[in-house]
Amino acid sequence: VGWIRAVIENTDKAEVETWTNVRGSETCHLLWYREEYLVVLVEREGYFLLRTAYRTDRPHTKRKLRAEADLAKNG
């Protein structure tokens, strides 16, 4: 799936919103492209592992992710 690599390689662009959260004992990095595609990377010692990637086309999914991103940025 080509879009996953494109999102990961373009985290410096305004179209990709990024934030970090902790789930259990794992630190996750979320990369959200134009509120349409989400990539979740798990931080390991010295590298990142692709956890999942999917299209965020459902309204309730977008609301949940928007709330999570806003909370991560604003505390």
Side-chain angles (χ1 to χ4, degrees):
V1 182
W3 62 266
I4 297 171
R5 181 177 181 167
V7 170
I8 293 170
E9 291 179 345
N10 289 286
T11 57
D12 59 332
K13 305 288 192 250
E15 294 88 3
V16 180
E17 185 172 2
T18 64
W19 70 94
T20 303
N21 68 21
V22 177
R23 294 186 177 167
S25 62
E26 296 183 324
T27 300
C28 299
H29 297 266
L30 293 92
L31 318 173
W32 199 15
Y33 175 72
R34 293 189 178 176
E35 295 191 357
E36 294 180 24
Y37 298 95
L38 182 73
V39 176
V40 180
L41 303 173
V42 177
E43 191 173 327
R44 297 284 195 239
E45 194 169 323
Y47 66 97
F48 293 91
L49 180 67
L50 176 65
R51 165 58 51 89
T52 190
Y54 55 92
R55 185 171 165 91
T56 57
D57 54 354
R58 296 183 179 177
H60 71 277
T61 301
K62 286 185 181 186
R63 282 192 304 272
K64 179 183 146 206
L65 288 169
R66 169 57 38 223
E68 183 179 328
D70 290 346
L71 181 62
K73 290 183 189 265
N74 301 321

